[in-house]
Amino acid sequence: MASSWLGARRQSLHLLKTRGFLLLKLSAAVLAVLLFCEFLIYYLVIFRCSWPELKTPEGAPEPVLRAMFLADTHLLGAIRGHWLDKLRREWQMERAFQTALWLLQPEVVFILGDIFDEGKWSSPEAWADDVGRFWKVFRHPPHVQLRAVAGNHDIGFHYQMDTYRIKRFEKVFNPERLFSWKGINFVMINSVALEGDGCDICSRAEAELLEISHWLNCSREVGHPPTPHFPLYRKNDANCSGEDAAPPDEKYTPFKERYDVLSWEVSRKLLWWLRPRLILSGHTHSACEVQHRAGVLEVSVPSFSWRNRNNPSFIMGSITPMDYALAKCYLPCEDMVLTTYCVAAGCLMLIMLIPTRLVSAPFHFVSVHLRV
């Protein structure tokens, strides 16, 4: 009787020990998957990105500015979006941005509009909360400059835009329209105000750009990269290519002037006034490269948010007063992360079921038939 009791006790202790080891292994596996998908994957993917190289000019080398361009972060507010969606998207953008800062060490970061998703509707309290979350996600060391232009989700389209929303935005982000560093001039354009209908805000915006144009032309400095939110006029995205271009069913959809792109008249004015050598814009959430007159390149930067696309990215620019080179840095694809989670979940289920013999019978059946 005693030996039987001792045998049962040993068997029970062995079972508990086996289950304890199994639980420990499962916990370690879960933590490893979470660590990879929510932290390490950003380092592994962004580590492959590097700054584009410029041709070295004869004589004294020019100082190179390393600039990072991203667009359409669309931080969710109090009205739209589930709290879990908000938490997930902000975590993804925070990890991607902080990893890029650490690995790539940019000197300046430009955000090309639609920073917030609900800025045009936000109450003062909601706006303050959104701004606080923005600075948490996009925190940066003091030596890194961060510049932003307003988008239609930040201050509203032309019919929603007012002085209060513009001033509220400019209180958070530097309102200067001309940002200069290392001899390179960046013109920060409020493209929402370039409606061309003579409204007070529109007239002031055009007057500011004319003043900047006169100063730049008088200083005889070479082309200046403008950074509007809306792209300059183009009919559609039919000529755009690449894995992050617009989907085939959207490429041939005509763009609406003053809504999807700037009007043809305003676009012509900007090219004439500023005579740029490079234009970077956002708004469409998809990538595109367009050659305007005199060979001026415009790059539409895709959205930085996984809420808007499966494969977000940003642009890296090595820029001097006389030259520039651009490269694109892709972020982890969402479907790759989800596939990793699904495969890991399936493996964990097998590990849990094998000791219970729920999956051993089929394997045994196959083994017996193979012997026969």
Side-chain angles (χ1 to χ4, degrees), residues 58-78:
E58 296 181 1
E62 294 179 304
V64 178
L65 178 66
R66 290 183 168 181
M68 184 171 148
F69 301 89
L70 51 102
D72 297 275
T73 54
H74 283 270
L75 266 73
L76 293 171

Side-chain angles (χ1 to χ4, degrees), residues 147-307:
R147 302 285 161 158
V149 296
N152 53 287
H153 278 266
D154 302 314
I155 59 175
F157 278 108
H158 176 258
Y159 59 88
Q160 297 170 308
M161 173 186 63
D162 57 26
T163 302
Y164 168 75
R165 290 186 177 91
I166 294 174
K167 294 296 183 185
R168 184 170 71 172
F169 183 88
E170 292 178 345
K171 188 177 179 180
V172 178
F173 303 101
N174 198 310
E176 66 180 351
R177 295 284 176 257
L178 183 64
F179 169 65
S180 302
W181 199 358
K182 291 188 174 181
I184 306 154
N185 300 305
F186 296 89
V187 183
M188 315 292 289
I189 297 174
N190 178 5
S191 52
V192 182
L194 298 181
E195 185 77 6
D197 64 350
C199 74
D200 289 342
I201 295 175
C202 303
S203 297
R204 288 198 298 270
E206 289 200 10
E208 286 179 348
L209 287 175
L210 269 174
E211 185 178 348
I212 291 171
S213 170
H214 292 154
W215 184 86
L216 291 174
N217 290 330
C218 290
S219 67
R220 294 185 179 181
E221 298 191 24
V222 293
H224 333 283
T227 55
H229 175 59
F230 287 172
L232 270 63
Y233 175 78
R234 62 178 184 258
K235 291 182 178 180
N236 50 36
D237 273 350
N239 296 321
C240 305
S241 59
E243 59 185 283
D244 53 355
D249 59 331
E250 296 179 10
K251 278 190 171 185
Y252 297 93
T253 303
F255 281 149
K256 182 180 177 181
E257 294 185 54
R258 303 179 180 88
Y259 188 85
D260 298 310
V261 294
L262 292 172
S263 68
W264 182 82
E265 294 84 0
V266 167
S267 300
R268 188 178 61 172
K269 281 183 181 179
L270 288 178
L271 291 171
W272 174 251
W273 289 345
L274 302 177
R275 300 180 184 181
R277 56 188 168 125
L278 173 66
I279 302 167
L280 294 118
S281 59
H283 188 57
T284 64
H285 298 178
S286 299
C288 190
E289 293 188 4
V290 179
Q291 289 284 344
H292 296 286
R293 67 178 189 181
V296 176
L297 174 66
E298 177 181 359
V299 177
S300 289
V301 182
S303 174
F304 192 72
S305 173
W306 281 262
R307 195 169 191 263

